[in-house]
């Protein structure tokens, strides 16, 4: 995607590239940054991180998928472990 954006820019320098693929944050980094800056009440963590969710309910989703959550709503830590 970044190569296509650069090719468009080279073919016409007046072309505006919005959300350039080489410069935007991906899902995890964007959601994490928004939460840390107080822009979102939603926290995020990776399953394999040492950090565990502090607030429930939660759901688990693949980081690079647009297919929705991998689980239903998990109401507590015990349900998360199962």
């Amino acid at each position: 995607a970044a190569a296509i954006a650069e090719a468009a820019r080279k073919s016409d320098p007046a072309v505006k590239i919005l959300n350039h693929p080489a410069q935007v944050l991906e899902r995890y980094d964007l959601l994490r940054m928004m939460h840390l800056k107080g822009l979102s009440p939603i926290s995020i963590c990776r399953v394999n991180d040492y950090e565990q969710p502090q607030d429930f309910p939660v759901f688990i989703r693949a980081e690079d998928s647009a297919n929705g959550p991998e689980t239903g709503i998990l109401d507590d830590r015990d349900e998360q472990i199962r």
Side-chain angles (χ1 to χ4, degrees):
I4 293 170
E6 285 305 313
R9 184 179 299 183
K10 286 180 184 175
S11 70
D12 182 356
V15 168
K16 290 187 179 191
I17 308 294
L18 303 177
N19 295 326
H20 193 293
Q23 299 169 344
V24 297
L25 296 175
E26 294 197 15
R27 177 184 291 146
Y28 176 85
D29 295 319
L30 177 63
L31 293 174
R32 185 82 172 162
M33 180 269 307
M34 289 177 63
H35 179 71
L36 292 173
K37 288 187 172 190
L39 301 172
S40 173
I42 311 269
S43 183
I44 185 171
C45 62
R46 290 184 167 120
V47 172
N48 58 349
D49 282 349
Y50 291 107
E51 180 184 357
Q52 294 294 307
Q54 300 303 309
D55 300 314
F56 286 85
V58 300
F59 62 87
I60 297 174
R61 72 175 299 148
E63 187 168 339
D64 58 355
S65 173
N67 295 330
E70 301 288 319
T71 67
I73 298 295
L74 306 175
D75 290 315
D76 57 40
R77 184 165 274 106
D78 292 336
E79 201 171 359
Q80 177 189 353
I81 293 170
R82 285 186 236 147

